[in-house]
Amino acid sequence: MSFDLTSIKKGACVKAPRMQIIATPGFGKTSFAACYTNKGRDRTSDTDTCLVIPIKGETGADGLDVDKVDPVGSVNKLNEIIEFFITNETDYKRIVIDSTSTLEPLVDSHVCGLYNVDNVKKVKGFQVGEMEVKNTWRGILNRLDCLREKGIEAVFTTHAKVKKFKDPDSDAYDRWVSDLDDSTASIIDKWCDIVGFGMSEIIIRTEDEGFGNDRKRASTINPTRWLHFKPSATRPGKVRPEFSRIDERIELDHIVFREAIAKSVAHLTATK
């Protein structure tokens, strides 16, 4: 089909968001991704149109009253499930992959199987194995983009870890990051429209133990669990401009999050 001026689209176009929720184990990533509210205790109407795909080794969805498939133990099986929803009509509006942290070793195993090696770095050729890993991840993301064209949101959950960050203009410091390999983390981060990092507020108290010794203790000052969307020196975060009405942080509550998304869409509609 040849190009003509009717192919040009005007104005902003908001598609189903692609998201990643990063936090420590047990924080409530999966319940939030499954559209739960009230500190992860209550379902919402959106939970009825959510499907969780647990990756083998994850149990976060076990206690949730949400549709889910059996734990997925291979890349081929995951791709098969996604492709089913690409080619078939469905009422699901959100697909949750729980989690990238347990999916990553399956991707490595998939590549090792293709080349009959026990480590991706043993694939013959300069970084051939590493490139195949990247292509496998991109294949999964491309399939999820096909679902996006059907109006289906994709949500990844990811575990967090602390990593030493070497700042060329300052001293090194600790930073929260995803527990994925750097190259994998970069691919997913670039793909996502929204990246939220979950944490509670803490305060560090210094206690005098006598004899000139001090001990520092961390304690939670607010039981509310927060999702942070603005990146900082100590944590990740991301929001594309079309979802700019999301606050820098919100409670870990699906209703609060959905209201923020609705405000972003309404703002873009009003400015057309």
Side-chain angles (χ1 to χ4, degrees), residues 173-191:
Y173 58 89
D174 290 338
R175 188 172 192 268
W176 284 106
V177 297
S178 76
D179 68 351
L180 302 173
D181 179 81
D182 288 347
S183 61
T184 299
S186 176
I187 290 172
I188 295 176
D189 182 74
K190 290 177 181 178
W191 178 80

Side-chain angles (χ1 to χ4, degrees), residues 21 28-36 50 52 94 96 155-157 254:
I21 308 301
K29 302 182 295 296
T30 308
S31 59
F32 173 80
C35 306
Y36 271 60
C50 175
V52 177
R94 172 179 286 201
V96 178
V155 184
F156 284 123
T157 64
H254 173 71

Side-chain angles (χ1 to χ4, degrees), residues 214-229:
D214 293 334
R215 182 175 181 177
K216 294 182 178 180
R217 296 179 181 273
S219 59
T220 301
I221 61 175
N222 188 334
T224 301
R225 290 173 292 176
W226 299 96
L227 268 183
H228 295 259
F229 297 99

Side-chain angles (χ1 to χ4, degrees), residues 1-10:
M1 182 178 179
S2 60
F3 172 81
D4 60 44
L5 294 180
T6 61
S7 302
I8 298 175
K9 298 179 180 179
K10 297 183 178 180

